[in-house]
């Protein structure tokens, strides 16, 4: 959870991320990551109207370890 900021006014938010990973082989890992699951977007700083907002995201990661 991140509390609100007073100046400039930025609302607080609670983020929830999740990761599901699977080690398919000794040298191969596959994972699915979801970020910001309970909120479609939230601002973290800046003045309303011009501040960036972080959106929900889902990512697939494949990690291969070469020897």
């Amino acid at each position: 959870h991140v509390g609100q900021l007073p100046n400039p006014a930025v609302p607080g938010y609670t983020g929830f991320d999740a990761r599901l990973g699977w080690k398919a082989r000794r040298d191969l890992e596959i994972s699915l990551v979801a970020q910001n699951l309970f909120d479609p977007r939230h601002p973290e700083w800046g003045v309303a109207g011009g501040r960036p907002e972080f959106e929900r995201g889902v990512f697939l990661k494949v990690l291969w370890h070469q020897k």
Side-chain angles (χ1 to χ4, degrees):
H1 176 76
V2 177
Q4 65 183 13
L5 297 175
N7 191 11
V10 179
Y13 66 93
T14 299
F16 185 84
D17 301 342
R19 178 185 177 275
L20 178 63
W22 176 48
K23 193 155 188 145
R25 300 186 330 205
R26 202 169 86 182
D27 61 349
L28 179 66
E29 183 178 338
I30 302 168
S31 59
L32 182 65
V33 178
Q35 296 177 325
N36 205 22
L37 284 173
F38 296 149
D39 203 4
R41 66 182 51 85
H42 68 268
E44 291 191 0
W45 69 86
V47 179
R51 62 184 167 211
E53 292 192 353
F54 292 86
E55 296 183 351
R56 179 178 297 139
V58 178
F59 307 93
L60 176 66
K61 179 179 179 181
V62 177
L63 185 60
W64 177 40
H65 302 279
Q66 275 188 314
K67 292 184 180 188

